[in-house]
């Protein structure tokens, strides 16, 4: 019984990461008849037998992988870290580069934030934000938002945001500045802990291609 | 209140067919263990919390009590805890009540452990385990016997799509302890990143800690050290630390010892696996079954644990997760039992 005969499922994050993820998979040797970026299907088999792609929202990639429904997944480190999922992350991929930052109004003195009784934080990453402010001695009220977090500052809901930036254009357009850089992020290959043992040769194949 | 009609998170009722399947898996496992000469021990569901503290890691105790422990005070103000680990109880029994027994002592148990797991990936807070321990034998014989018992158990359950990963904590500890003196925090961070196979994070941390390039190279290779016995050759090339080499030699010998046993083709060497109970001192074993996204059983050698209860005694043990094995059996029968 060769492990290669087992089915293999990989969860891909829809959105910006999808085209480079598909391109990377094709270099590994997995290609798809359909254009996945345009496909409305959620499960797409690869040309090579036994491999299936699941197209899911970025936040859901770590969930599918942790439960073992998908053996592996491609997702941004920002989303992975926010999820706290208990999965292996054996490879950083060379796309989806961005930075997690604290940003806010240019006239605010960020150095003095620890002296404030309360700082309001608008973010799509409440876990990352909570951990950061707990460690930095800032009393923060974390407001979990679904999108357009810059608006939370400009509209007066929040003092700062915790969010990812690529080029900084969106921040600039909204008149915000970076107060602090938290960490660099890029796409990660993540692997279910059991799949890593059960389908070792397929995982090794994924790991062999940069 | 509505509470009267609901269960708290992490626990379940099992009705009829689901109960039957669990009893069946339990019977197959305990039947096999009886047949192999293991004797049953029934331990209390709760006892003094100190017993479980004695088996906990130092890091867990630094911030007070281990957070996963269900603990409470009895009417006299005594600190009690629900059973979070059978092995701790058996170590207590071995050090106190089994003193007169001729080793090796073969023991098995079946029952629930209680751990307040974070509500993540549907993790249960009450787990039904069937497990065994071999006490009083510190050598290859017991390690070999433990692995063969595990293989026989999967055969008894008719589970063929399984993989048994065998690692050795002495390898990682040896590589890490050898060349430089590291702060315990740095060691913990390195271990955490290797546990997660986070090579990128590991590279950044090694850079940040300014580790010697030889050590960085060795650490960076650990997450990929898994496969057949040829992996052990590769492992030899990344370290010269005597304790790491001893671990490699132990695994080589063990590999030869089990090679002829039925089902041995499902065993592989996994030096990348460094996660396990804090009291493991030698081999570490994890079992996986097709379609199950987490380990269906785990164990290892713990030569120092019994001594914490007052009498030195080497030991090795393993426990199966009954609920996950039921799920694995169902998957196997749905795919026609095909292997």
């Amino acid at each position: 019984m060769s492990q290669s005969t087992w089915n293999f499922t990989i969860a891909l994050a829809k959105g910006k990461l999808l085209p480079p993820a598909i391109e990377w998979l094709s270099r590994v040797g997995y290609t798809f008849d359909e254009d996945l970026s345009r496909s409305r299907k959620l499960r797409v088999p690869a040309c090579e037998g036994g491999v299936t792609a699941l197209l899911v929202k970025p936040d859901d990639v770590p969930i599918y992988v942790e439960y073992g429904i998908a053996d592996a997944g491609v997702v941004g480190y920002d989303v992975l870290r926010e999820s706290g999922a208990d999965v292996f992350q054996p490879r950083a991929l060379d796309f989806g580069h961005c930075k997690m930052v604290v940003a806010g109004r240019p006239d605010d003195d960020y150095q003095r934030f620890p002296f404030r009784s309360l700082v309001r934080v608008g973010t799509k990453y409440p876990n990352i934000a909570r951990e950061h402010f707990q460690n930095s001695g800032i009393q923060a009220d974390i407001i979990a938002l679904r999108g357009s977090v810059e608006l939370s500052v400009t509209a007066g809901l929040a003092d700062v945001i915790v969010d990812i930036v690529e080029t900084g254009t969106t921040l600039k357009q909204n008149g915000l500045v970076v107060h602090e850089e938290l960490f660099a992020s890029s796409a990660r290959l993540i692997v279910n802990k059991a799949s890593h043992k059960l389908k070792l040769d397929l995982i090794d194949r994924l790991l062999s291609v940069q | 209140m509505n509470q009267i009609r609901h269960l708290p998170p992490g626990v379940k009722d099992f009705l009829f067919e689901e109960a039957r399947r669990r009893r069946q898996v339990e019977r197959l496992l305990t039947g096999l263990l009886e047949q192999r000469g293991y004797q049953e021990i029934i331990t209390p569901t709760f006892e003094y919390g100190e017993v479980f503290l004695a088996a906990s890691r130092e890091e867990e105790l630094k911030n007070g009590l281990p957070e996963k422990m269900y603990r409470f005070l009895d009417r006299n103000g005594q600190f009690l805890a629900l059973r979070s680990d059978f092995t701790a109880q058996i170590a207590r029994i071995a050090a106190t009540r089994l003193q007169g027994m001729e080793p090796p002592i073969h023991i098995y148990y079946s029952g629930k452990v209680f751990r307040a797991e974070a509500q993540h990936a549907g993790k249960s807070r009450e787990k039904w385990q069937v497990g065994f321990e071999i006490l009083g034998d510190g050598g290859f014989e017991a390690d070999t016997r433990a692995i063969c018992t595990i293989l026989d158990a999967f055969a008894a359950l008719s589970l063929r799509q399984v993989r048994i990963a065998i690692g050795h904590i002495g390898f990682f500890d040896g590589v890490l302890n050898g060349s430089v003196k590291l702060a315990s925090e740095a060691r913990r961070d390195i271990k955490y990143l290797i546990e997660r196979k986070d090579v990128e994070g590991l590279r950044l941390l090694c850079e940040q800690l300014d580790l010697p390039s030889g050590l960085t190279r060795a650490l960076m290779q650990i997450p990929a050290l898994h496969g057949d016995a040829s992996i052990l050759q590769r492992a030899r090339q990344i370290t010269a630390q005597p304790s790491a080499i001893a671990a490699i030699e132990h695994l080589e010998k063990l590999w030869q010892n089990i090679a002829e046993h039925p089902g041995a083709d499902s065993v592989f060497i996994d030096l990348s696996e460094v996660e396990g109970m804090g009291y493991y001192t030698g081999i570490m074993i994890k079992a996986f079954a097709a379609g199950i996204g987490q380990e269906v059983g785990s164990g290892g050698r713990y030569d120092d644990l019994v001594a914490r209860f007052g009498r030195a005694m080497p030991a090795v043990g393993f426990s199966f997760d009954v609920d996950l094995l039921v799920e694995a059996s169902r998957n196997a029968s749905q795919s026609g039992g095909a292997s």
Side-chain angles (χ1 to χ4, degrees), chain A residues 77 89 92 188, chain B residues 193 198-206 208:
Chain A
Y77 179 66
Q89 44 182 92
R188 293 289 165 106
Chain B
L193 291 169
D198 183 354
V199 178
E200 176 65 11
L202 193 60
R203 191 181 59 77
L204 291 172
L205 182 66
C206 289
Q208 200 186 320

Side-chain angles (χ1 to χ4, degrees), chain B residues 17-233:
Chain B
E17 183 58 22
E18 292 208 62
R20 245 190 316 272
R21 284 173 185 274
R22 276 161 181 76
R23 290 288 178 206
Q24 193 185 6
V25 164
E26 180 192 39
R27 258 197 307 276
L28 287 168
L29 288 174
T30 57
L32 173 94
L33 291 167
E34 283 276 350
Q35 194 199 338
R36 293 286 186 276
Y38 295 82
Q39 297 190 76
E40 184 171 15
I41 283 189
I42 297 176
T43 65
T45 307
F46 63 88
E47 57 176 288
Y48 291 125
E50 282 84 355
V51 169
F52 303 105
L53 291 185
S56 300
R57 293 165 199 275
E58 263 174 59
E59 306 103 80
E60 282 179 325
L61 300 176
K62 228 178 240 170
N63 305 319
L65 296 173
E67 53 185 13
K68 288 184 181 171
M69 186 187 270
Y70 282 103
R71 70 266 181 161
F72 50 100
L73 300 178
D74 76 357
R75 291 176 174 213
N76 307 322
Q78 295 272 18
F79 164 45
L80 301 176
L82 291 187
R83 177 199 300 128
S84 56
D85 181 13
F86 271 103
T87 304
Q89 296 183 304
I90 287 168
R92 168 184 61 72
I93 293 170
T96 54
R97 301 191 55 194
L98 302 182
Q99 293 196 47
M101 234 175 131
E102 184 72 28
I105 306 167
H106 292 76
I107 283 169
Y108 79 87
Y109 55 81
S110 173
K112 309 286 186 71
V113 293
F114 307 88
R115 290 178 198 153
E117 299 284 355
Q119 280 305 290
H120 213 67
K123 277 194 176 160
S124 300
R125 291 177 169 174
E126 178 181 34
K127 270 175 176 296
W128 187 348
Q129 292 184 337
V130 172
F132 64 86
E133 319 279 351
I134 305 171
L135 298 146
D137 182 341
F140 290 102
E141 287 313 310
D143 285 1
T144 305
R145 182 137 201 232
I147 293 165
C148 293
T149 301
I150 296 164
L151 293 175
D152 294 347
F154 282 116
L157 294 166
S158 309
L159 282 176
R160 282 185 285 271
Q161 287 195 352
V162 293
R163 302 279 283 161
I164 320 289
I166 305 195
H168 198 302
I169 193 63
F171 177 75
F172 171 73
D173 283 346
V175 170
L176 201 54
N177 288 346
S179 39
V180 283
K181 196 103 189 94
L182 281 172
S184 69
E185 237 173 44
R187 300 167 53 88
R188 190 199 56 207
D189 291 349
I190 289 171
K191 192 166 177 205
Y192 175 77
L193 291 169
I194 289 182
E195 273 172 18
R196 295 178 64 90
K197 313 239 183 298
D198 183 354
V199 178
E200 176 65 11
L202 193 60
R203 191 181 59 77
L204 291 172
L205 182 66
C206 289
E207 226 167 70
Q208 200 186 320
L209 292 170
D210 201 17
L211 297 183
S213 61
L215 179 57
T216 299
R217 256 199 315 279
L219 290 173
M220 295 280 289
Q221 288 194 45
I222 291 181
L225 283 179
H226 44 68
D228 59 19
S230 67
I231 284 301
L232 295 170
Q233 288 309 315

